[in-house]
């Protein structure tokens, strides 16, 4: 008769070149080992391990620790027990036949779009180039910028996105933005705008539009008393180039700093502050459902598209086409059928992290890593 170690369904088993971790997603307790034979004998997908009959101290220590910490239990059986797979199953239209590919799939593609960012004018933040634009989600600086695609026609198609949760309008708080806001009264809208000396104008829009929230990009501590009368609908986002840039906002609520990495060598002190360590990883709230989803998708970017002032549609830092020359369905098809799409770039598919046992416990692959301005997000 053989002995088996069965891990409870709420326990995540992570295997990688650096070892193995058995992690309790509820109690956030864990057992780790680098013993090669344990790594070979455990099936991370089935949460089961055959215990060898030959006495082995390292094996025994691992098994006993898992049982003591209530991560697993031991059973004796003549054959390996059947454990139903608790995998994530994705139902999609992506595998339709070639005959239906261009006729039917477009309808289902729109179901996948959860949020849209529309870029308008940026005549204020002159340091925003393409790299910074992707990091702070804001249009590139252009003193004479103008919308180069049929954005009004696009707004009329929004009813075709059944799962659309949010529209984000990014750009200067000007007449163009305010006119668009009047056309989106039936949607949840977030406005990301530079905060230069416009608190009263922003406060006026908060009073007039109950469906609107603001994310205000700041370069310094300014007087935001008018806007903060609506603080449940306002987030202040200081743009951070060095750690001291957030000191002016100490003690204030609704602060979400946004780091900008232009030169990694010169900004090493900021990068060190951004890194997460072992404690951050194991103490993060991760359910098994969340872990399984993160194993297949980048949950930060999945379902999100950005459309720039020239009509270019992109996901994170990857461009897929222009709405000036292609229709939306054709461009989205490129995105969902691209194996390297940021939508599907989970850590276990990211070269730097694919062999790490913590891959599905860590946060999503960040824009900084996708751009290559940061090698990794952790200290491990």
């Amino acid at each position: 008769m053989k002995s088996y170690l069965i891990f409870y369904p709420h326990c995540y088993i992570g295997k990688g070149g650096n070892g193995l971790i058995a992690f309790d997603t509820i109690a956030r307790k864990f057992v780790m080992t680098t013993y090669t034979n344990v790594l070979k004998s455990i099936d991370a997908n089935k949460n089961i391990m055959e215990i060898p009959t030959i006495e082995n101290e390292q094996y025994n220590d691992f098994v006993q620790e898992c049982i003591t910490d209530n991560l697993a239990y031991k059973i004796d059986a003549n054959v390996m027990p059947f454990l139903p797979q608790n995998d994530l199953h994705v139902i999609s239209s992506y595998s339709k036949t070639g005959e239906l590919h261009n006729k039917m799939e477009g309808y289902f593609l729109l179901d996948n779009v959860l949020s849209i960012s529309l870029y308008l004018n940026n005549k204020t933040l002159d340091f925003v180039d393409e790299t910074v634009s992707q990091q702070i989600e804001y249009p590139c600086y252009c003193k004479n910028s103008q919308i180069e695609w049929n954005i009004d026609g696009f707004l009329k198609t929004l009813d075709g996105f059944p799962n659309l949760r949010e529209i984000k309008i990014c750009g200067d708080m000007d007449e163009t933005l305010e006119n668009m806001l009047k056309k989106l009264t039936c949607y949840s809208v977030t406005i990301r705008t530079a905060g230069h000396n416009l608190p009263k104008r922003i406060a006026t829009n908060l009073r007039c539009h109950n469906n609107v929230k603001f994310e205000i990009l700041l370069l310094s501590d300014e007087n935001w008393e008018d806007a903060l009368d609506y603080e449940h609908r306002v987030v202040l986002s200081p743009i951070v180039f060095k750690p001291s840039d957030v000191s002016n906002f100490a003690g204030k609520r609704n602060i979400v700093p946004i780091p900008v990495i232009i030169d990694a060598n010169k900004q090493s002190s900021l990068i060190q502050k951004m890194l997460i360590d072992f404690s951050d990883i194991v103490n993060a709230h991760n359910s098994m459902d969340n872990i399984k989803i993160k194993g297949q998708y980048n949950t930060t970017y999945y379902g999100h598209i950005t459309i720039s002032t020239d009509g270019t549609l992109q996901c994170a830092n990857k461009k897929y086409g222009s709405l000036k020359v292609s229709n939306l369905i054709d461009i989205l098809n490129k995105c969902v059928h691209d194996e390297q799409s940021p939508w599907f770039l989970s850590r276990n598919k990211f070269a730097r992290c694919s062999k790490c046992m913590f891959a599905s416990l860590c946060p999503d692959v960040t824009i900084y890593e996708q751009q290559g301005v940061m090698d990794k997000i952790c200290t491990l």
Side-chain angles (χ1 to χ4, degrees):
M1 185 166 295
K2 297 180 180 180
S3 296
Y4 297 92
L5 187 68
I6 312 293
F7 291 90
Y8 291 108
H10 61 275
C11 291
Y12 162 74
I13 308 301
K15 292 173 67 175
N18 52 347
L20 177 144
I21 182 171
F23 182 78
D24 183 334
T25 60
I26 298 176
R28 295 205 288 279
K29 296 186 295 185
F30 58 89
V31 177
M32 296 174 58
T33 182
T34 57
Y35 184 44
T36 304
N37 287 340
V38 172
L39 302 184
K40 290 179 180 179
S41 63
I42 193 167
D43 189 333
N45 293 323
K46 296 182 179 179
N47 280 29
I48 187 171
M49 183 184 84
E50 182 177 340
I51 303 172
T53 54
I54 301 174
E55 288 293 321
N56 181 289
E57 185 177 350
Q58 288 177 296
Y59 253 115
N60 292 341
D61 288 347
F62 176 75
V63 170
Q64 191 57 48
E65 196 171 352
C66 288
I67 294 174
T68 301
D69 287 347
N70 293 317
L71 300 177
Y73 58 93
K74 179 182 175 182
I75 66 170
D76 296 322
N78 290 320
V79 295
M80 180 177 287
F82 171 73
L83 296 178
Q85 292 278 358
N86 187 24
D87 291 334
L88 180 69
H89 296 282
V90 180
I91 300 174
S92 74
S93 63
Y94 301 157
S95 59
K96 288 185 179 294
T97 63
E99 181 182 355
L100 293 176
H101 177 76
N102 289 319
K103 298 178 182 178
M104 293 288 290
E105 189 168 0
Y107 173 82
F108 296 98
L109 278 173
L110 298 184
D111 289 11
N112 293 280
V113 178
L114 307 178
S115 59
I116 301 172
S117 288
L118 300 174
Y119 286 1
L120 302 184
N121 301 317
N122 173 18
K123 303 177 183 179
T124 306
L125 302 181
D126 58 6
F127 61 89
V128 181
D129 58 13
E130 187 170 30
T131 298
V132 175
S133 172
Q134 294 165 1
Q135 293 178 11
I136 70 173
E137 200 171 12
Y138 205 72
C140 294
Y141 174 75
C142 181
K143 191 173 182 179
N144 300 309
S145 66
Q146 57 183 358
I147 309 302
E148 301 175 13
W149 63 290
N150 184 14
I151 195 168
D152 287 333
F154 177 77
L155 295 180
K156 295 176 182 178
T157 70
L158 292 177
D159 286 343
F161 296 86
N163 297 319
L164 186 62
R165 300 171 184 169
E166 180 188 53
I167 299 170
K168 183 177 287 187
I169 307 175
C170 308
D172 292 343
M173 193 71 224
D174 56 14
E175 186 176 351
T176 301
L177 190 151
E178 290 181 328
N179 287 337
M180 181 177 291
L181 199 54
K182 296 173 184 177
K183 302 173 184 178
L184 297 171
T185 55
C186 296
Y187 298 93
S188 175
V189 178
T190 297
I191 296 176
R192 174 167 287 193
T193 188
H196 289 319
N197 304 312
L198 291 174
K200 293 187 181 298
R201 190 168 188 173
I202 290 175
T204 298
N205 278 279
L206 285 166
R207 284 194 297 271
C208 296
H209 303 285
N210 293 327
N211 63 317
V212 172
K213 296 183 293 184
F214 271 86
E215 295 175 355
I216 303 171
L217 303 180
L218 298 177
L219 290 173
S220 62
D221 187 13
E222 301 177 24
N223 180 12
W224 285 97
E225 292 181 1
D226 290 337
L228 290 180
D229 287 341
Y230 301 85
E231 66 174 341
H232 64 290
R233 293 163 56 196
V234 174
V235 172
L236 301 182
S237 295
I239 298 174
V240 178
F241 295 95
K242 56 185 183 299
S244 60
D245 287 343
V246 296
S247 59
N248 290 332
F249 298 90
K252 293 190 176 181
R253 291 179 290 180
N254 295 357
I255 301 294
V256 181
I258 302 179
V260 170
I261 306 296
I262 298 174
D263 187 325
N265 293 325
K266 294 180 179 179
Q267 295 178 277
S268 58
S269 60
L270 176 59
I271 290 176
Q272 287 300 313
K273 291 286 187 181
M274 294 168 62
L275 298 178
I276 61 175
D277 58 20
F278 175 79
S279 177
D280 295 320
I281 295 171
V282 297
N283 286 308
H285 292 277
N286 274 307
S287 67
M288 280 304 298
D289 285 345
N290 186 38
I291 288 171
K292 290 180 182 298
I293 291 171
K294 287 198 300 180
Q296 294 197 32
Y297 302 102
N298 186 311
T299 58
T300 298
Y301 289 106
Y302 181 80
H304 181 68
I305 60 174
T306 297
I307 306 175
S308 62
T309 53
D310 64 359
T312 299
L313 186 149
Q314 65 186 61
C315 306
N317 63 326
K318 196 162 187 178
K319 299 178 181 179
Y320 285 98
S322 173
L323 290 172
K324 289 195 298 184
V325 296
S326 302
N327 66 59
L328 177 64
I329 299 301
D330 288 342
I331 299 175
L332 284 178
N333 259 323
K334 294 179 184 179
C335 176
V336 299
H337 292 289
D338 176 14
E339 293 183 358
Q340 304 301 316
S341 168
W343 281 15
F344 309 113
L345 186 59
S346 59
R347 287 215 172 266
N348 56 19
K349 300 172 190 172
F350 188 55
R352 183 66 179 80
C353 306
S354 61
K355 296 182 179 180
C356 178
M357 62 177 161
F358 299 106
S360 293
L361 294 176
C362 281
D364 292 313
V365 180
T366 66
I367 186 63
Y368 310 100
E369 294 165 283
Q370 294 182 53
Q371 290 177 331
V373 296
M374 286 181 66
D375 178 48
K376 59 178 182 176
I377 201 67
C378 72
T379 59
L380 303 179

